[in-house]
Amino acid sequence: MGIISSDKTRQLLLQIREGQPMTLRQQMQLTLRLSLPAIMAQLSSIAMQYIDASMVGSLGAGASASIGLMSTTT
């Protein structure tokens, strides 16, 4: 069972569907729970860019420049 499919998240989403008011704490909890997958994806992407740069860095300036160019487009 993942973070998003937890009972607490389902409960908070049900509150939204039924139009029930939510406290600020509940809103913050739901926002954090729903944003964690995107945060983890971004962190892994950054880690892969660092790994690429460190592996190619020993090949010279041209190869390092190409990694820098590609990391800005992705």
Side-chain angles (χ1 to χ4, degrees):
M1 205 179 231
I3 293 173
I4 291 193
S5 62
S6 72
D7 291 333
K8 182 67 175 173
T9 304
R10 287 181 187 176
Q11 197 174 39
L12 292 171
L13 289 172
L14 183 61
Q15 274 185 279
I16 290 173
R17 284 187 209 112
E18 293 178 352
Q20 297 175 355
M22 295 177 70
T23 65
L24 180 61
R25 180 180 175 94
Q26 289 173 324
Q27 291 175 10
M28 296 300 285
Q29 284 177 344
L30 183 60
T31 301
L32 180 64
R33 287 173 184 262
L34 294 176
S35 65
L36 277 177
I39 292 169
M40 295 305 295
Q42 186 64 29
L43 289 175
S44 66
S45 174
I46 292 168
M48 288 304 296
Q49 288 176 6
Y50 280 126
I51 291 168
D52 287 344
S54 66
M55 290 173 58
V56 174
S58 63
L59 297 178
S64 294
S66 67
I67 290 296
L69 182 65
M70 287 307 298
S71 68
T72 58
T73 59
T74 58

